Amino acid sequence: MSNQANKVKFLTYPERIRSRLERTGEIVFIDGQHVTPSQIWQFMTEEAPKRFPYAYDTKTYNIVRLSDDVDFVSGIKYNYIELTWRDRMLAARSKGIPLILNEGGGQTRDPYYAAGAIPLRPGAVSTWVREMEDGLDLHQIDLRNTAIMESGRKLITIEACNQIGAHAAISDGVVDVDMLAPFLCLRCSDVAYLVEKHRSSQRSYPLQLIDYPINNQVNKEWAVEYFASNLKRLIASILNITSAGMTEDGLKEEIKLHNKMRRLALDIHELWWSANIPPTNSTDFNNIRIFGNDPCGVSAISAISILEETKQEVHERIKNSIKGAGLTDDPVRLFACGSCVSPNPTVVDRAGGVVVGKDDWLSGLYIEVKENGNPYGNLAKANLSISYEQPIEVRALWTVEQIKKSKADGMIFMHQWGCNYQSAVSRMVADIVKEKAGIPTLVIEVDELDKAEALEQSQNRVESFIEMLR
Amino acid sequence: MIGLDVGSTTAKAAYPEGKFRIVESRNWRELTDGIAPCDIVSTGYFRKSVPHKLAITEITAAAFGAREYFPDAEVIVDIGGQDTKVIDLRNNTFLLNDKCSAGTGAFLEFTAKYLGIQVSELGDLHMRAKKAAQLNSTCGVFAISEMISRMVEGASVEDVVAGMHYSFARRVAKLIPEADRIVLIGGTVKNRGLTAALEEVAGKRFLIPPAPQTVNALGALRYSEERP
Ligand code: SF4
């Protein structure tokens, strides 16, 4: 429509940020690699813009773009962790660290790390695929991701959600992992296709199904014991790959560290929610929420340091009334529900809103695994109590509580086409929220998981909703 | 200040002196000749691609525009070139049909092209129909093959057009909630045959503004006046 639309503007980090970044700590990964802040700066300002131009493309609709809040130093670290994903996974694997695909929700990451492995969400596989080839622009990565997704659809079904692309990438050998370990809880209907893809795959991967007792079994002793035995089997299978050992004390130690990470991320949420002026934009807030659940290959001790730095920075911003970059004054506060897809954070910010929470990741932050006693039983009990995995009414009432805490003005339940369970429960959750929290709700089905372009129509709905709330 | 609605097919402008202009979308610049971006409130799918001071979605624009003609409107049905929007003003909710061309202007264009006629002729052809052909499919692709079958059986072009309008109406009517004051807007609404079919299928009379195609442009203009 306009020539201007074709011009690409790229994000740059101004030199003035460098000294602030250099005063922060280094990042330590579980394979022992240390990265100094100077190396992070060099990567983010010199190497990554050439290798991953799409991430620096500042188009509002670019859902894989970096946060443009360049002054939020902690945000640079989350971006570094994201953009080095593939390099780091390959390096870790070459050092014998197993990579485990862990689709399905209903779980904490402590057992994987305790056993010396890195858990990979399907979303992380997509990140890996994006980073496979250097120099691609937004359109090119979108085309490639779509091609992989279509290959999965052709082989398995057209009815799966877009995460079939991640399964296709694994079974076609584009991405290599050591084990598939889906959790059989209700949240995700894609697990069925993961298993099916595994069966018809040319490559053979060990498959470890984790049976998650569904339908509110948390207070039943048998369920806790049964689920604990599944977790024990998962850890044993990972240890089998590494031929390494793990003591119960080692598992307890990892649980303690992960509890601390989750608590810190939750503290940041409570700080953020208490502020009159939102201290970060939606992209950075989302990154904190995800990292609190999943340290993405960063050692737990280092992840705790990053979260502590983040907490301090958020605190400073609140004290100095600094608003997240890209936000309007007094933005409409949106709480997001659903699974795997969320309203595009930049679109929300530009339209005059801000995302104050997302139910799936947020429910993970509330997990407090007991630190004394049998660690398997404690993990099982904690994982069975995740609010997101409870009966719909319980989940919806927990959501109402979070909506009140986060002072949300509206709720969007967004679900990916093909995500059958979330699609089925969306209306009930929205109706309960509308009644009990007294805020408007919007249910949207989208087809944007793993897509970076052509999302105008769903974004139009989100913008319309924000305009209505204003 | 002007309201500029640049949609998938046409661009519309509402000027403060009460005038409207419509051109093909690709010629939208003709509407803004001599007007500075700071004097434009844009809407429509291309709202962000054209110069503007403020860009609002068609849903907000429709609410502000329809109110001008019908202050007590309850529901707005906007049948556009690429999607159909149903906005319930009573509880601030909306529904969009944007995945399937059935029930959108694109479906009408598709049919007109197949029949070798102009979209603007569809309304008159419908009015001349003796007996609407029975088309059961609401899917654009299957509807075309049904049209072929009906013509092979001897149905006239007029009857097929009327049947297509009923098929379209059945699709759209399903989206409309129960309400007394429903406003129809969008370029497609100029098609008399279609609105007649929609009223018959829905079993109610609709409110149609004098210039249904420019309601969103007017709404953008009104928005800028009410929320400068
Ligand atoms: S979108 Fe739904 S079905 Fe797809 S992976 Fe996510 S939870 Fe599973």
Side-chain angles (χ1 to χ4, degrees):
Chain A
M1 188 58 42
S2 145
N3 293 335
Q4 283 174 346
N6 298 325
K7 280 193 198 141
V8 181
K9 276 200 202 127
F10 291 100
L11 179 85
T12 52
Y13 289 101
E15 190 60 30
R16 69 184 148 79
I17 311 298
R18 183 180 190 148
S19 57
R20 284 186 49 216
L21 178 67
E22 285 178 344
R23 285 199 294 274
T24 68
E26 60 180 18
I27 305 180
V28 183
F29 296 98
I30 69 159
D31 63 356
Q33 192 200 350
H34 288 237
V35 182
T36 66
S38 298
Q39 288 169 315
I40 295 173
W41 177 260
Q42 189 276 334
F43 181 85
M44 294 302 289
T45 57
E46 293 172 34
E47 188 177 335
K50 290 189 202 115
R51 292 180 59 192
F52 314 117
Y54 62 83
Y56 289 76
D57 183 331
T58 58
K59 285 191 196 84
T60 302
Y61 65 76
N62 177 3
I63 203 159
V64 288
R65 59 172 283 171
L66 303 176
S67 159
D68 54 4
D69 197 339
V70 292
D71 285 291
F72 189 59
V73 171
S74 312
I76 303 177
K77 287 194 172 169
Y78 296 120
N79 291 335
Y80 173 83
I81 291 165
E82 170 88 359
L83 289 182
T84 52
W85 184 252
R86 174 179 174 266
D87 291 355
R88 293 191 292 104
M89 292 308 110
L90 289 175
R93 205 150 184 269
S94 71
K95 291 178 193 161
I97 294 179
L99 305 180
I100 316 292
L101 184 78
N102 73 335
E103 186 172 38
Q107 57 190 300
T108 58
R109 273 76 186 168
D110 352 14
Y112 300 89
Y113 284 98
I118 299 178
L120 289 184
R121 292 168 274 123
V125 173
S126 307
T127 304
W128 181 328
V129 171
R130 266 203 305 276
E131 293 170 2
M132 292 208 43
E133 204 179 320
D134 288 355
L136 299 189
D137 65 21
L138 190 58
H139 184 56
Q140 288 166 323
I141 56 152
D142 215 29
L143 285 180
R144 210 198 27 210
N145 274 15
T146 306
I148 294 175
M149 197 188 317
E150 290 306 324
S151 106
R153 289 221 163 104
K154 263 185 222 148
L155 272 170
I156 299 296
T157 174
I158 54 159
E159 285 167 3
C161 87
N162 293 0
Q163 297 285 31
I164 195 80
H167 308 328
I170 291 172
S171 62
D172 296 348
V174 178
V175 165
D176 213 1
V177 299
D178 297 278
M179 190 200 290
L180 312 176
F183 274 50
L184 307 180
C185 55
L186 282 179
R187 126 177 9 199
C188 175
S189 51
D190 197 50
V191 167
Y193 303 118
L194 161 70
V195 176
E196 191 55 37
K197 184 88 184 91
H198 167 76
R199 266 197 220 145
S200 60
S201 175
Q202 307 246 320
R203 301 164 70 92
S204 167
Y205 293 99
L207 177 70
Q208 178 77 62
L209 300 174
I210 322 294
D211 192 2
Y212 182 105
I214 55 171
N215 205 12
N216 207 10
Q217 306 293 333
V218 62
N219 293 321
K220 311 236 173 82
E221 211 175 305
W222 75 265
V224 174
E225 271 173 27
Y226 173 68
F227 189 37
S229 68
N230 271 266
L231 293 174
K232 207 168 192 172
R233 215 175 49 226
L234 167 68
I235 291 180
S237 309
I238 297 173
L239 295 174
N240 213 9
I241 300 173
T242 58
S243 312
M246 184 206 74
T247 60
E248 283 204 358
D249 282 345
L251 179 56
K252 282 184 185 168
E253 198 44 46
E254 197 68 33
I255 288 171
K256 263 189 205 159
L257 294 170
H258 282 250
N259 272 342
K260 193 160 183 196
M261 275 166 46
R262 290 185 282 264
R263 267 197 304 269
L264 269 166
L266 206 51
D267 287 351
I268 297 169
H269 275 70
E270 278 162 10
L271 254 182
W272 199 107
W273 290 337
S274 71
N276 291 328
I277 298 172
T280 72
N281 62 25
S282 303
T283 305
D284 286 319
F285 201 19
N286 282 348
N287 287 345
I288 296 166
R289 192 154 40 248
I290 295 171
F291 190 72
N293 279 277
D294 181 352
C296 305
V298 177
S299 81
I301 291 176
S302 184
I304 287 168
S305 307
I306 295 172
L307 286 163
E308 276 166 346
E309 284 171 5
T310 309
K311 187 175 166 187
Q312 182 58 30
E313 197 174 1
V314 168
H315 184 75
E316 288 294 317
R317 280 191 160 203
I318 295 173
K319 202 171 83 192
N320 298 313
S321 303
I322 296 172
K323 184 178 67 179
L327 295 178
T328 56
D329 288 336
D330 201 15
V332 168
R333 297 165 78 98
L334 291 182
F335 192 89
C337 291
S339 197
C340 298
V341 277
S342 304
N344 179 325
T346 315
V347 167
V348 170
D349 293 358
R350 297 292 181 274
V354 63
V355 180
V356 296
K358 171 90 201 297
D359 59 353
D360 52 355
W361 289 113
L362 190 56
S363 65
L365 297 182
Y366 279 99
I367 299 171
E368 178 90 45
V369 185
K370 261 177 66 188
E371 295 175 4
N372 298 320
N374 175 354
Y376 297 101
N378 292 341
L379 273 170
K381 192 149 177 80
N383 282 305
L384 285 174
S385 70
I386 300 176
S387 305
Y388 193 85
E389 312 295 349
Q390 303 309 305
I392 314 312
E393 198 177 346
V394 179
R395 168 179 165 185
L397 291 174
W398 173 83
T399 308
V400 168
E401 229 179 274
Q402 304 314 309
I403 282 172
K404 288 184 179 161
K405 278 192 199 166
S406 61
K407 295 179 266 173
D409 302 306
M411 181 275 252
I412 296 186
F413 196 120
M414 186 178 261
H415 55 87
Q416 166 64 32
W417 185 88
C419 183
N420 300 334
Y421 183 74
Q422 300 305 323
S423 139
V425 306
S426 57
R427 179 46 63 197
M428 185 169 170
V429 173
D431 287 349
I432 293 174
V433 164
K434 194 185 266 181
E435 191 199 326
K436 305 274 186 210
I439 59 168
T441 59
L442 176 69
V443 175
I444 332 180
E445 182 189 61
V446 297
D447 179 25
E448 55 191 63
L449 194 52
D450 269 344
K451 287 193 180 163
E453 290 195 306
L455 309 169
E456 175 62 28
Q457 291 181 321
S458 64
Q459 293 173 3
N460 203 28
R461 287 170 159 88
V462 172
E463 281 185 45
S464 302
F465 189 59
I466 293 171
E467 284 176 3
M468 276 182 173
L469 294 173
R470 235 193 264 136
Chain B
M1 192 63 81
I2 70 159
L4 178 67
D5 172 13
V6 188
S8 54
T9 321
T10 56
K12 289 79 66 176
Y15 301 93
E17 62 277 19
K19 281 201 197 115
F20 298 101
R21 278 188 68 200
I22 303 173
V23 297
E24 281 183 33
S25 287
R26 62 171 180 269
N27 298 326
W28 63 267
R29 283 185 185 79
E30 291 175 17
L31 304 176
T32 58
D33 227 10
I35 297 168
C38 62
D39 284 329
I40 299 172
V41 176
S42 61
T43 186
Y45 272 121
F46 293 96
R47 63 187 176 277
K48 290 178 198 146
S49 311
V50 298
H52 58 268
K53 175 191 174 197
L54 188 67
I56 59 171
T57 62
E58 308 89 283
I59 291 177
T60 302
F64 277 75
R67 234 174 31 204
E68 174 97 357
Y69 299 105
F70 307 106
D72 52 356
E74 295 172 323
V75 171
I76 302 168
V77 181
D78 180 357
I79 307 177
Q82 291 298 325
D83 62 18
T84 295
K85 307 176 187 80
V86 177
I87 308 157
D88 193 333
L89 298 168
R90 297 166 299 183
N91 53 20
N92 269 352
T93 54
F94 54 86
L95 261 179
L96 272 81
N97 161 38
D98 55 14
K99 291 197 184 71
C100 170
S101 76
T104 75
F107 177 57
L108 300 185
E109 275 182 33
F110 193 41
T111 317
K113 199 167 170 195
Y114 167 71
L115 295 171
I117 53 175
Q118 298 294 316
V119 177
S120 56
E121 294 175 65
L122 291 171
D124 287 343
L125 286 167
H126 177 111
M127 293 308 178
R128 292 206 296 271
K130 293 211 169 57
K131 185 174 182 291
Q134 182 67 41
L135 299 178
N136 294 324
S137 183
T138 50
C139 161
V141 177
F142 294 133
I144 292 284
S145 44
E146 270 199 273
M147 279 181 217
I148 298 172
S149 305
R150 295 295 94 87
M151 296 210 335
V152 168
E153 288 161 14
S156 66
V157 170
E158 286 85 348
D159 292 349
V160 164
V161 166
M164 179 270 293
H165 282 153
Y166 280 106
S167 154
F168 185 107
R170 282 194 294 276
R171 168 91 189 178
V172 173
K174 285 198 189 106
L175 303 171
I176 305 176
E178 197 45 52
D180 292 327
R181 300 190 57 77
I182 303 172
V183 182
L184 285 191
I185 64 169
T188 309
V189 171
K190 287 189 304 180
N191 177 337
R192 292 183 299 143
L194 178 69
T195 52
L198 196 52
E199 288 189 333
E200 195 182 317
V201 171
K204 51 182 61 136
R205 306 279 301 167
F206 295 115
L207 303 167
I208 302 179
Q213 205 173 357
T214 53
V215 170
N216 290 351
L218 178 66
L221 178 63
R222 291 291 175 258
Y223 185 91
S224 72
E225 291 163 356
E226 282 184 38
R227 302 191 186 178

